[in-house]
Amino acid sequence: DAMVIQNPRYQVTQFGKPVTLSCSQTLNHNVMYWYQQKSSQAPKLLFHYYDKDFNNEADTPDNFQSRRPNTSFCFLDIRSPGLGDAAMYLCATSRARLAGGNIQYFGAGTRLSVL
Amino acid sequence: GNSVTQMEGPVTLSEEAFLTINCTYTATGYPSLFWYVQYPGEGLQLLLKATKADDKGSNKGFEATYRKETTSFHLEKGSVQVSDSAVYFCALSAGNQFYFGTGTSLTVIP
């Protein structure tokens, strides 16, 4: 029944070692989002794809990249993880752009630890 | 600009107590308003939403009314259960942007 699936649930990486988090969806939604959520904070949008159109938030570090090879999958690549990148990473989807009350559906998240 | 301000926690209540979590917003235009809930170790789930003034969203005993005159969307539940323990996020969407509040942690004790 899971509609937005994130793998793995827990990821441990080493300082500076590239890591990829994955997200897949069975909803056939046009828009996919990546958020970073640090402890006791609100999720912070990193970027989103509307179909193949990539939209980066102005304050997202260059260290974070994303790929969306098809409608169902979206990846978050962290090129050189630092200790400050340890966080929960949430993937979300929406059928269309958010205007008009479109709902975002979230995955369970991947908790990233950086050693 | 657009923003959401919600009541700071943590909030601790006894089972069957009345819950209010305050949320106010600042927005240009006509935003849609949401409450999301995050249970421990999980992602966010939509709890309820309202898309225009005076709409009331409701789900699982929770309610919130979109009040344009007070720019508020307070979350209420008449009788909380232990299973309601979670973090609650108020959010708004305006244009193509989505804004979360900082979250309010609720713990319900038996």
Side-chain angles (χ1 to χ4, degrees), chain B residues 21-96:
Chain B
I21 301 178
N22 289 338
C23 172
T24 57
Y25 68 89
T26 303
T28 53
Y30 303 96
S32 296
L33 301 173
F34 305 83
W35 278 99
Y36 278 83
V37 58
Q38 187 174 31
Y39 297 103
E42 298 186 13
L44 278 71
Q45 301 174 27
L46 177 69
L47 183 59
L48 52 84
K49 74 169 192 176
T51 57
K52 62 183 188 298
D54 300 326
D55 267 2
K56 178 186 283 188
S58 61
N59 185 26
K60 300 181 182 179
F62 290 90
E63 292 183 341
T65 301
Y66 188 148
R67 302 266 187 221
K68 192 168 172 60
E69 64 277 11
T70 54
T71 61
S72 66
F73 193 55
H74 305 320
L75 182 68
E76 297 182 335
K77 186 173 185 182
S79 176
V80 293
Q81 305 301 312
V82 172
S83 57
D84 295 326
S85 299
V87 180
Y88 292 81
F89 291 93
C90 185
L92 74 82
S93 70
N96 195 40

Side-chain angles (χ1 to χ4, degrees), chain A residues 70-84:
Chain A
N70 54 52
T71 300
S72 300
F73 285 87
C74 194
F75 300 99
L76 170 62
D77 300 309
I78 309 176
R79 294 195 294 191
S80 181
L83 298 178

